Amino acid sequence: RSKSPDDPSAPAAKRHAGDVGRVIEHYNLRPEVGVKQRLRSPIIGLKNFNNWVKSVLITRFAHPVLASSAVKSTDGLSGGCGKVLDMGCGKGGDLVKWEKARIRELIDIAHVSIEQARDRWKNMHPPRFTASFAALDCYRESLSKAFPPEKLAQPFDVVSMQFCMHYAFETAEKARCMLQNISRWLRRGGVFLGTIPNADYLLERLDSLPPSATDLSFGNSVYKIRFEDRRSRPLFGHRYYFWLQDAVDDVPEYIVRWDKFIELAAEYALYPIYREEFHQIFVQHRNQEEFKSLMLRMKVVDANGESAMDEAQWEAANIYIGFVFEKR
Ligand code: SAM
């Protein structure tokens, strides 16, 4: 007998019909590849660059906040201090980037990804930090449903949402639920940082398509973005489909209008302190010694300073912006 989509034991993708079901299915089905296979990805340069951008944001904006955290180590493990919530963590690819955080809570709607994230943490030797993992639709349900009160008693110093917040902009209710989940358990002076597609760039590209075009898509050999309508531009639920080679297969995503985002965030005491396109983040940090050497270690450039990205990957990199908000 097939399970009703409302049956809590039904697979998450079935319980969530429509776009969100497609998002969950897509991420649940993406195989976890080993390091060797990852290195063979045709867009490895772009993946490394995206990871470098995340590391820059974390180092520059999260480390100072973690350093001033009230969280102290009580379990005898070595490492830094502070508490981080990684919302939409996927397979836990950022686990190691949070070296300065003692406690990490990771959450994602895709239960298979969460299991893979947990395995990744278990396989880290020795574990220098505590971490807990939960599968939850953070855009429809409260965090308190996933974590017991004692886990949430100490507020977070940092909330991170990498390449995932745009899925919340399907409706105003989802965007509000997401912001409530961030703000409710983030301490004053704490930061919320993330990466999202650059709505201005996407809409500019849409506007520059010939008026007679019926195929409302643009991109290159690495990425493709397809809109369904040229004129209709709702503030929420402005959908397009995204394809990224070796990563995302025509998944529905939503435009995040920056002005709307900051207006809404202010209602949750979150105020922007940084917003930059990825190309600009590169320009701002490439000559700073710490980030320059990180670029080499993360194989964004080779020993001769040559970029690991071709033109198409470099163009795809600038679909995104990085942002940081502070809770006041
Ligand atoms: N943050 C990770 C990273 O940077 O590699 C994963 C990014 S992946 C592009 C987007 C993630 O958002 C997926 O793992 C997906 O399952 C998650 N996601 C989408 N909608 C979500 C929701 N409503 N609640 C929690 N996670 C969600």
Side-chain angles (χ1 to χ4, degrees), residues 59-318:
T59 306
R60 186 168 157 197
F61 295 99
H63 284 182
V65 174
L66 288 167
S68 64
S69 170
V71 173
K72 294 280 169 279
S73 175
T74 50
D75 49 16
L77 296 174
S78 62
C81 48
K83 195 175 166 185
V84 172
L85 170 66
D86 189 343
M87 220 155 115
C89 64
K91 300 175 199 307
D94 291 345
L95 267 169
V96 288
K97 293 190 188 70
W98 292 105
E99 53 164 348
K100 295 252 167 27
R102 278 287 310 114
I103 302 170
R104 294 160 221 199
E105 321 281 19
L106 291 90
I107 197 153
D108 198 284
I109 198 171
H111 67 282
V112 176
S113 299
I114 276 293
E115 284 315 315
Q116 289 165 347
R118 198 197 308 270
D119 287 347
R120 192 178 282 214
W121 172 66
K122 278 190 192 150
N123 291 330
M124 288 172 136
H125 291 298
R128 295 204 331 265
F129 55 92
T130 60
S132 46
F133 302 81
L136 183 86
D137 183 344
C138 314
Y139 311 155
R140 287 208 315 187
E141 293 173 300
S142 165
L143 219 60
S144 59
K145 215 176 151 184
F147 295 114
E150 61 272 20
K151 284 250 178 254
L152 296 170
Q154 174 74 41
F156 293 106
D157 299 292
V158 180
V159 177
S160 169
M161 292 195 76
Q162 303 299 339
F163 300 106
C164 58
M165 197 197 76
H166 40 294
Y167 296 112
F169 276 66
E170 183 178 5
T171 64
E173 292 71 28
K174 285 190 176 196
R176 283 184 177 283
C177 176
M178 179 257 317
L179 288 165
Q180 173 68 10
N181 269 332
I182 296 162
S183 185
R184 169 87 172 72
W185 286 283
L186 181 62
R187 75 160 157 98
R188 244 175 242 277
V191 293
F192 158 43
L193 52 83
T195 42
I196 47 171
N198 182 354
D200 294 342
Y201 176 73
L202 266 46
L203 294 176
E204 251 170 51
R205 292 290 304 263
L206 175 64
D207 286 337
S208 63
L209 292 172
S212 57
T214 48
D215 173 14
L216 300 177
S217 64
F218 54 86
N220 60 28
S221 57
V222 164
Y223 80 98
K224 187 174 157 189
I225 286 173
R226 174 170 61 86
F227 283 88
E228 296 170 301
D229 193 297
R230 192 194 283 273
R231 269 174 291 276
S232 160
R233 297 187 179 192
L235 289 177
F236 296 94
H238 188 183
R239 182 169 54 194
Y240 59 88
Y241 291 85
F242 184 52
W243 174 82
L244 180 67
Q245 187 184 22
D246 193 38
V248 185
D249 302 320
D250 221 24
V251 169
E253 299 191 350
Y254 303 94
I255 287 286
V256 178
R257 284 255 311 260
W258 182 253
D259 52 350
K260 193 68 211 166
F261 177 27
I262 54 174
E263 185 187 310
L264 210 58
E267 292 183 35
Y268 296 84
L270 299 164
Y271 297 92
I273 54 172
Y274 185 80
R275 176 206 182 273
E276 213 57 84
E277 295 176 357
F278 273 25
H279 282 183
Q280 268 308 108
I281 296 179
F282 172 73
V283 170
Q284 284 172 2
H285 299 90
R286 67 178 157 182
N287 290 325
Q288 292 181 25
E289 205 38 60
E290 146 178 52
F291 300 124
K292 199 173 167 180
S293 54
L294 191 63
M295 249 191 299
L296 192 61
R297 286 205 306 279
M298 295 181 87
K299 298 192 166 46
V300 176
V301 292
D302 65 18
N304 301 319
E306 290 289 325
S307 171
M309 284 177 282
D310 57 19
E311 276 298 317
Q313 290 177 63
W314 179 241
E315 183 189 319
N318 215 33

